[in-house]
């Protein structure tokens, strides 16, 4: 699924449920955000490692990827949250913060998105299932992430 919008964000949250297939070749994304054809934010997975990854490439900034330390179990539903609060990028797995990396002062101009695919490439499609994908124009607190996870159990 893809869509078009126009938004400038200096903090945001991306949440959703994912169940990856067990083949280990996953390069898809929960959500990909773009400025024109340029990828700016990916809430995606690192291929055979099945680790969630939070990629950012702000206009005029330095790109960077942050990977979770935990791989997702194939065939099992997991709740993921990717949160940027203006100071750091965080990945939560099943309501618990898994990794946090300093990334102060990033801002993104965004105009389109894709759910389940990354890099606008038909080879990078999620292998598995997604549900309840949500985007917030602010950083959710750790308590709010846990609430969203518990609300949808």
């Amino acid at each position: 699924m893809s869509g078009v919008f126009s938004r400038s964000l200096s903090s945001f949250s991306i949440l959703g449920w994912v169940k990856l297939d067990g083949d280990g070749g996953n390069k898809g994304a929960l959500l990909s955000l773009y400025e024109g054809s340029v990828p700016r934010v990916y809430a995606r997975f690192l291929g055979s490692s099945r680790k969630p990854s939070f990629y950012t490439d702000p206009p005029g900034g330095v790109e960077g990827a942050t990977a979770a330390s935990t791989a997702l179990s194939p065939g099992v539903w997991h709740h993921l949250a990717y949160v940027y609060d203006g100071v750091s990028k965080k990945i939560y797995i099943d309501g618990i913060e898994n990794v946090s990396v300093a990334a102060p002062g990033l801002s993104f101009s965004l105009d389109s998105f894709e759910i389940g695919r990354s890099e606008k490439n038909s080879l990078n499609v999620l292998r598995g299932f997604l549900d309840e994908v949500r985007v917030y124009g602010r950083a959710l607190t750790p308590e709010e992430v846990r609430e969203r996870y518990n609300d949808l159990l």
Side-chain angles (χ1 to χ4, degrees), residues 118-139:
S118 66
E119 301 172 49
K120 295 189 176 186
N121 183 331
S122 60
L123 298 176
N124 292 341
V125 176
L126 179 89
R127 294 181 186 162
F129 300 92
L130 295 174
D131 197 16
E132 299 290 334
V133 177
R134 300 175 180 188
V135 179
Y136 296 83
R138 65 178 180 86

Side-chain angles (χ1 to χ4, degrees), residues 13-15 22 47 53 61 65 68 77 83 85-86 99 119 134 137 139 145 149:
S13 302
I14 301 167
L15 283 73
S53 173
W77 283 102
V83 178
D85 61 8
V99 66
E119 301 172 49
R134 300 175 180 188
V145 170
Y149 167 67

Side-chain angles (χ1 to χ4, degrees), residues 74-92:
V76 176
W77 283 102
H78 292 281
H79 185 261
L80 298 179
Y82 299 78
V83 178
Y84 180 65
D85 61 8
V87 178
S88 60
K89 297 188 307 184
K90 299 174 184 175
I91 299 174
Y92 295 79

